[in-house]
Structure formats: C-alpha cells, structure tokens
Amino acid sequence: MSLRHALLGLLSDHPASGYDLMRRFETSLSNVWPATQSQVYGELGKLAKGGFLEVAAEGPRGRKEYAITEEGLAELHRWLTETQPERMRRSEAMLRVFFLDQLTPLEAFTYLSTEAERAAGRHEALEGLNKSVEWDDEPLSVNGRLALEYGLRFTAMYEEWARWAAAQIEARSGQRLASSETGGAPDREPAPQVLLDSQIVGEQSPDL
Amino acid sequence: MSLRHALLGLLSDHPASGYDLMRRFETSLSNVWPATQSQVYGELGKLAKGGFLEVAAEGPRGRKEYAITEEGLAELHRWLTETQPERMRRSEAMLRVFFLDQLTPLEAFTYLSTEAERAAGRHEALEGLNKSVEWDDEPLSVNGRLALEYGLRFTAMYEEWARWAAAQIEARSGQRLASSETGGAPDREPAPQVLLDSQIVGEQSPDL
DNA sequence: CGTTTCATGTAATTGGTTACATGATTCT
DNA sequence: AGAATCATGTAACCAATTACATGAAACG
C-alpha cells in the first residue's frame, strides 16, 4: 500500500494534478516506486474520498489540482515514523544464482560477468549524474543525495560481488573462462545530463 | 513470470510434489522468491498442461510427484541464458528516504539508525550461518555460498550507508542527535543453527 | 490547421496474498 | 483416539500492467 504514501509524499511538497504527479513518478521515483497512469488516477480518487487529499483548484482541461489535507499529512507522518519498511524479497537476479549449476561453467561465468558489466554501467551513469548536478540545500536535493549515494554504493558492491562470484566459478571449473570480451556490453548508455527534480533517485536502483 | 522458472529450477534437481516444493520455497527461496501454496499448486498445473512437467508418480494422499520434462529443461536453460533478469525497482525503504524532509532531523536520524541496526542484525545472523555450515562441494552448496556472500556484502553495505546517511542528517541539523540507544533493537534474533538444503539463500535478502 | 502536450478516465488481464475447504495418513 | 503432518485444491481480493478511449488547449 505504498503507492498512496508516495502520492502523499509528493503532494506534501506542493499541490499537483494527476498529470503532474505522473511525471514526477517518471522522473523522480521510477526506480524506487514506479507507478502507471491508471494507478495514479485511481489512487488519487480513493485518497480524496478518504479525506487525505482535496481538490484545491480546477484548471483548463478538466485539470484537478490536489492538495494534501491535515489528515493526509498525519497519515504520511504515521507511515514514516510508526511503520517499518517492508523489505522486498523478490530478486530475479539472485533466483538465477540459485540455479547456476544447471549451466556449464562458461555459461555461469558469462551470466555473472554480464551482471558485473551491467552494474558497472549503472555505476558510471550515476557518477556522471553526480558530477552534473548542482547540489543546493533544498530538501529534495538532500534526500536525492542520500539516495544517489545508496545507488553508487549498491552498484559498486554488486559489481564486486559478481566479479568475485565469476572468479569462484572459474576457479572451480579448473579452466580459464575469461575471454577478451566476456559478453560485456561494449556500448554503454551515456550518463543523462539533464535532470528535473531529483531524477537522481530515479537513477538509483535498489536491486540492480 | 519467474515463479514458473523457480519451480523448473527446483525440479531440475529431482522430482517433487507440490507439498515438497512449498517447503523448499519456505526453506531455500523465501527471501529470493517467496511463493504461496495456492500459487505453487496453480503454477504446477499450468506447467504440466504446457508440457514442461509431467506427473511421474502418484503417492499416498493424492500425492502427485512432478518431474521436469526435456521441454522444461530447455525452457529453464533458455531463461537462464537468453533472458536478462528484470531488475527490481520497488523499495519501500528508499521511497521513505525520499520524503525524509517531512520529518524532524531527530526522526529522520532515528529512521536511518534503525535501518542500520536492522541491517547489522541481519548481517550477524548471516555470519552465524556462514560459520555453522559445513560447506561441501555439492552444487547447492556452491550456489548457496555465492548467495550468502551477496547477503553479507549487501547487509554490510546497507548498514554503512544508513550510518553515513544518519550522520549527514545530524551534520545538517547542527545538533547532536545520537542518543545512547537510538531506538536500536536490544534483543536480536539468534542466528539459526539448523539448515536444510540451502537455507543459506533463505537468509540472504535482496532489499534490506 | 495540424501536431504535440495536457488531462482524465475505464476495462481486461496478470501475479500475488489470504482465507476457506477437505481429507488421508502417520505418529504418539 | 487424537494430534500432527501430508496433501491438494478453490474463491475472493488487491495491486499492478497494458491497452483502450476521449477530448481540450497550446504551439507552430
């Protein structure tokens, strides 16, 4: 039930329409808590009915600008302080590790090396972002910096782990498996330079 | 659609009934890919209908022992080698970080410190497990060791990040926020000593 | 005037969770 | 005899995804 809290969180900053919120989900929250258009509109309706939000203004194309109510702020605060984050379990990447013995050592090695490459690419993108951002003292900037740092640490950890794991497989196989290019991605996405809001966090990935 | 592949993976080792598989989900895969009883039985039916599994034997209480078919093995292999793991996005813990500015510095500090404590507890449990296991050369043991190592690295990384983030909040607040006991858990679950199969992985957690 | 952007919604489907329902076998 | 375990299934519900549907306003 975190979508509602994500919406309350975004609206605690300032009022916005469903359309505005959708864009903020795309730019800021996509990798932390993605949401689709239908979901956003649906949940906004429920939140308004429940008294957590109210339609503060109506605009041009049937635009409804939602504002958080006292009740909504209270609920957001309660969620942040009185409930524990549900830690997420499902990781397809780790599920695969579990069945790696179904592959030849080379195939397993390739999988892990590719994972390492992907993590490295992600890490690089984050570093680019980190440099390109002018960090101010606004709250979003502060939170964004925390999340970005998490992303950097996560991707670094994951790459190292995957390289270590690949080496384990290689050692056990008794063969040299590392080829010149192990299936790594030669062309890597360039680090995005523009960012609205705190895209930063959008660029961070909890699983990778 | 990874549940089906988890089932195929488990059955690639040896035939089993829905009931057996459920237990293996609980002991080995719970933190990587949890599944409920209804889901397991439902999916087994679909997989059998699709020709990926077959009922190899029928036992006492209507027990149906499923065995993987050639087609099932091929699908498992295809999944492992030809598809990329979908990286997971939703992290309630990180979503909260995004809205930490809605809290007082002390409350934010407390949240992050508690997260650090939880990670530390998890890490300790994993280390206990690591010591208590006699590692042999069986494939499950090898895979389990890879996953356990991931868990160790993840929890260590997360704890460090959370402590760093808490310190950031403290520094910005201009106050000393760290109390003698910051809301940390004084009583920590003891590390489980018994483990079936590769519980190891069951003890590893992708998010916190 | 045509395209893009803004803006809202509904419907169908999938994957997952919780709860309900049932009964046979084994163990003490 | 009674409890625990083995064993399978169905139904209701919820959250999320994809696709469909519509139209007003702004921009060029």
Side-chain angles (χ1 to χ4, degrees):
Chain A
M1 274 252 289
S2 293
L3 172 66
R4 62 189 313 117
H5 298 110
L7 288 168
L8 290 173
L10 289 174
L11 286 167
S12 72
D13 200 28
H14 46 70
S17 69
Y19 190 83
D20 296 338
L21 290 163
M22 258 183 56
R23 276 181 305 142
R24 296 198 63 197
F25 264 94
E26 277 160 25
T27 56
S28 331
L29 300 180
S30 60
N31 283 284
V32 167
W33 205 271
T36 57
Q37 184 252 49
S38 352
Q39 236 185 321
V40 169
Y41 284 110
E43 195 62 42
L44 283 173
K46 284 180 214 163
L47 283 166
K49 225 184 289 173
F52 301 105
L53 301 179
E54 58 189 6
V55 179
E58 304 215 15
R61 288 145 277 221
R63 176 191 171 91
K64 282 184 254 177
E65 200 162 67
Y66 290 95
I68 196 166
T69 61
E70 278 304 309
E71 216 184 327
L73 277 171
E75 171 57 22
L76 178 61
H77 189 264
R78 189 198 62 78
W79 175 69
L80 283 166
T81 55
E82 288 168 37
T83 68
Q84 286 209 337
E86 207 183 283
R87 68 192 139 300
M88 195 176 292
R89 285 113 133 211
R90 284 183 181 94
S91 168
E92 212 189 297
M94 275 301 134
L95 180 62
R96 281 159 198 247
V97 170
F98 217 67
F99 303 130
L100 240 35
D101 59 291
Q102 288 296 314
L103 300 179
T104 65
L106 179 58
E107 285 172 328
F109 183 88
T110 302
Y111 170 71
L112 291 164
S113 301
T114 305
E115 284 292 286
E117 284 303 316
R118 296 221 289 157
R122 208 105 177 95
H123 187 84
E124 254 183 51
L126 288 173
E127 281 198 323
L129 204 58
N130 196 16
K131 275 175 217 147
S132 74
V133 175
E134 355 74 58
W135 296 109
D136 54 29
D137 253 15
E138 290 194 34
L140 277 168
S141 217
V142 177
N143 296 337
R145 205 151 44 193
L146 298 184
L148 175 58
E149 178 66 22
Y150 173 78
L152 286 167
R153 290 178 187 223
F154 181 88
T155 47
M157 179 280 286
Y158 192 80
E159 187 196 351
E160 276 168 43
W161 168 82
R163 295 219 186 280
W164 169 85
Q168 294 292 113
I169 299 283
E170 191 173 45
R172 276 181 52 83
S173 83
Q175 291 169 61
R176 191 110 305 258
L177 300 173
S179 65
S180 45
E181 260 307 288
T182 333
D187 33 39
R188 187 170 288 161
E189 283 167 41
Q193 291 302 321
V194 187
L195 90 162
L196 294 168
D197 230 322
S198 7
Q199 249 274 31
I200 315 113
V201 178
E203 288 306 315
Q204 158 279 343
S205 82
D207 187 12
L208 153 145
Chain B
M1 275 255 288
S2 294
L3 172 66
R4 62 188 315 117
H5 298 109
L7 288 168
L8 291 172
L10 289 175
L11 286 167
S12 72
D13 200 27
H14 47 72
S17 69
Y19 190 84
D20 295 338
L21 290 163
M22 257 183 58
R23 277 180 304 143
R24 296 197 65 194
F25 265 94
E26 277 160 25
T27 56
S28 330
L29 299 181
S30 60
N31 283 283
V32 165
W33 205 271
T36 58
Q37 184 251 49
S38 353
Q39 235 184 321
V40 168
Y41 283 110
E43 195 63 41
L44 283 173
K46 285 180 214 162
L47 283 165
K49 226 184 291 174
F52 301 104
L53 302 180
E54 58 188 5
V55 179
E58 305 214 13
R61 287 143 277 225
R63 176 191 171 94
K64 284 183 251 176
E65 200 163 66
Y66 290 95
I68 196 165
T69 61
E70 278 305 309
E71 216 183 328
L73 277 171
E75 170 56 21
L76 179 61
H77 190 264
R78 190 198 62 78
W79 176 67
L80 283 166
T81 55
E82 289 169 36
T83 68
Q84 287 208 337
E86 208 184 282
R87 74 194 126 299
M88 200 176 288
R89 285 113 135 209
R90 288 185 178 94
S91 167
E92 213 190 295
M94 276 300 134
L95 180 62
R96 280 158 198 247
V97 170
F98 217 67
F99 303 131
L100 240 36
D101 60 289
Q102 288 296 312
L103 300 178
T104 64
L106 178 59
E107 284 173 328
F109 183 87
T110 301
Y111 171 71
L112 291 165
S113 300
T114 304
E115 284 291 286
E117 283 304 313
R118 295 223 287 156
R122 206 107 177 92
H123 187 84
E124 254 184 51
L126 288 173
E127 282 199 322
L129 204 57
N130 197 16
K131 274 173 219 151
S132 74
V133 175
E134 355 74 56
W135 297 109
D136 54 28
D137 254 15
E138 290 194 33
L140 276 168
S141 215
V142 177
N143 296 337
R145 206 151 44 192
L146 299 183
L148 174 58
E149 178 66 21
Y150 172 79
L152 286 168
R153 290 179 187 224
F154 181 89
T155 48
M157 179 280 286
Y158 192 81
E159 187 196 352
E160 276 167 43
W161 168 82
R163 296 218 186 280
W164 168 86
Q168 294 293 113
I169 300 283
E170 192 173 44
R172 277 181 51 84
S173 83
Q175 292 169 60
R176 191 111 304 259
L177 301 173
S179 65
S180 44
E181 259 307 289
T182 333
D187 33 38
R188 188 170 286 162
E189 281 166 42
Q193 290 303 319
V194 187
L195 88 162
L196 294 168
D197 233 322
S198 5
Q199 247 277 27
I200 314 113
V201 178
E203 288 306 316
Q204 159 282 338
S205 84
D207 185 17
L208 149 159

